[in-house]
Amino acid sequence: MKNEGLKNVRGSIDYGGKDAKIRSFISKTLQETFEKYGYSPLETSILCYYDLLALKYEEDNDILKEIYKVSDQGNRNLALRYDLTVPFAKYIASNKDIKLPFKRYEIGKVFRDGPIKKGRTREFIQCDVDTVGIEGQMIEAELISIFVEGYKKLGIDIVIKYNNRKLMNGIIEICDIESEKINQVITVIDKMEKLTKEELIEEFKKQELKDDQIDKMIKYLSMEFNSLNELFKDTTNINLKEGLNEICELNKYIRELDLTEYVMFSATLARGQEYYTGTIFEVYVVDGSIKSSIGGGGRYDNMIGEFIGDGKKYPAVGVSFGLDVIFEILKDKTKNINSIDIYIIPMNNNITALKLANELRQKNIKVEVEMNNLKLKKALSSANETEIPLVIILGEDELKENKLIIKDMRNNFQITENIDNLINTIQELISIPKIEYKILNPGGNKTALVKSTKFNDKQKCLINRLIMEKYLEVEQVGFLSNETNRLEMAGGEFCMNATRCAIYEYSKENEDSIEISVSGTNNSLKGRVLNDNKVEIKIDISKNIDELIEVQNDFILVKIDGILIVIFDEEKSKEYIRKLKDNEELAKKELKEFMNKNIQTTEKAIGIMLLENVLDKIKINPVVWVKDIDTVFYETACGSGSLATAIYNYYNCKEEMLEVIQPSGYTVNIELDTKKQLIENAIITGIVEEV
């Protein structure tokens, strides 16, 4: 075979790799959209009889020049379909038992031997939705909604131009243009926006139009719809009257469905096909990067009835998305479209890798296994290049403990997970998008703030785990709303230090005092940033001291919204401080068992404050159990524990001011506003630093 035989036929393109994935994404996105609106799939033949395709056109029509003519061994006069509408009409005509209304979509190749430019080839894919058996503008409004939703899902900003062929025919008729010239005049009108006024007049003159006819045409076609409607409200021209009424009805749907911003009436929109009988559409990109339309369609009420020839009316309307031109828009602005959820790196554990892959696939998780024994660094690089979101590494040491490593490549996190929990963890990780977060220091133990509260509880707990396993110095993860001043904690508890960090972050855009709501509390809190990065929070307490304090045998309970604080006496504090220094994990386990056994509460977190005296100041040694994420922290900053200690100190000594030393050495100042036994509010002040 000569080298030129390996070339593509002019106007046809092969697609592979990233390009093929983008095209598949477009097709799947539109299919899901069509099915969402109740349309069913249909496949029609690419090969048609030429006479069928040419049935609606005059011999000199441009569309006939673009039809690919072929023949078979019987020398039959055949052709490749140039759109999906005529084959659809043929299908309805040849299947008379179809129950109407009938709604179908078809995504398939069509062929036109026309000019080639960006977004326009000779072999291309159309994505059509059509209905038969529905009159009126309600269905047209639905098709506009499909256009809007489909392109929105594809990330393309559009404007839908619309018109009505009855309206256009009526305008031509009141300009006293002979009926035999209408189709050719419409062909000229269809080019109107691309021509100068002089060029337009010249084209009309080629159709032997008179000067007064041309002047009227240009005048009427340049008017806005409301002006046309007012001018011809009393017209006796049937086409013009029906066209105006249909657009008025469609405009009502457009307004009520909040579609106004996506549409624009255009009196010059014609669409070249002669079979259109009513509303017509064309879709364009807002930024004008592609001049040609990227979708279109309209109503064609006569085509099917003429095919069948039974004298009945078959109202039909449909629209088409141009996959190829959509692809041209997306290919440059889309980095990659990945179709794989998980990439497994076996590390010589090949059988385990394949068994694991099959188990994941049974849960509809898309998996690829590395099979070339690549070194870990190269395998990870390969996954990163193709933007695979998650990687599983089957390390020998981890497998011995029935565990494996999961790397979240999007967010640069890594966790070691028990194989028994793998499916649930993977499913949650897949559901979590790119995470935006920053880390602040509210006094020694750091806080991570994630920019979104729109995660479910399981996702929040998993994000909490991912961040805290990556940053060992982080002891609380908060979620900040982008819409209101709102902080949520992964375990649903209240955290004073995370609240100070949230106020610090929100105050960047507001120098005054701000109000913030926090999970685990009933009331909103007020706060502001002072000099030297100090953040002040004012908390409304409004409770008597006996409502806040409960005395037990060897400890005192302090009840604060969102967290219950246990304060041990001096001897018990010394005992546990020593135990924590000797064996922290064993001591934390013992204290968790104590809390679980002795403290009955619905609060999301329980804290134990082990107090010691340092240079005549109180230092806290907090042990906090967050129940929802089942994690015990030691030497956490614990702003709530500092407040509880201040309330405890007021209970003992009636002192309204207290400076509390936290485990990091940072101090928190607390001022209580009291009236005898009533604590009205508390002001907590402490430093917050950028990390």
Side-chain angles (χ1 to χ4, degrees), residues 542-575:
S542 299
K543 288 183 179 179
N544 287 316
I545 194 73
D546 56 1
E547 294 180 85
L548 298 168
I549 296 284
E550 181 180 331
V551 180
Q552 300 289 339
N553 290 331
D554 52 359
F555 63 88
I556 285 178
L557 286 176
V558 183
K559 304 168 187 177
I560 302 173
D561 279 350
I563 186 168
L564 190 67
I565 301 295
V566 179
I567 298 179
F568 281 162
D569 60 27
E570 185 177 350
E571 289 303 314
K572 205 169 188 68
S573 291
K574 286 181 180 178
E575 175 190 346

Side-chain angles (χ1 to χ4, degrees), residues 29 59 62 125 215 245 295 307 316 350 376 432 441 448 456 615 621 626 650 665:
T29 299
E59 289 184 7
D62 288 343
I125 293 176
D215 290 341
N245 289 340
F307 280 155
N350 296 348
L376 180 59
I432 295 172
N441 182 359
N456 60 42
L615 300 175
N621 296 271
V626 181
Y650 178 75

Side-chain angles (χ1 to χ4, degrees), residues 39 68 78 94 113 124 132 218 234 256 269 308 381 453 654:
Y39 291 79
Y68 276 97
L78 308 179
S94 57
D113 187 9
F124 56 98
V132 178
I218 293 175
D234 298 321
E256 293 302 317
L269 179 65
I308 297 174
S381 177
T453 54
K654 300 301 181 204

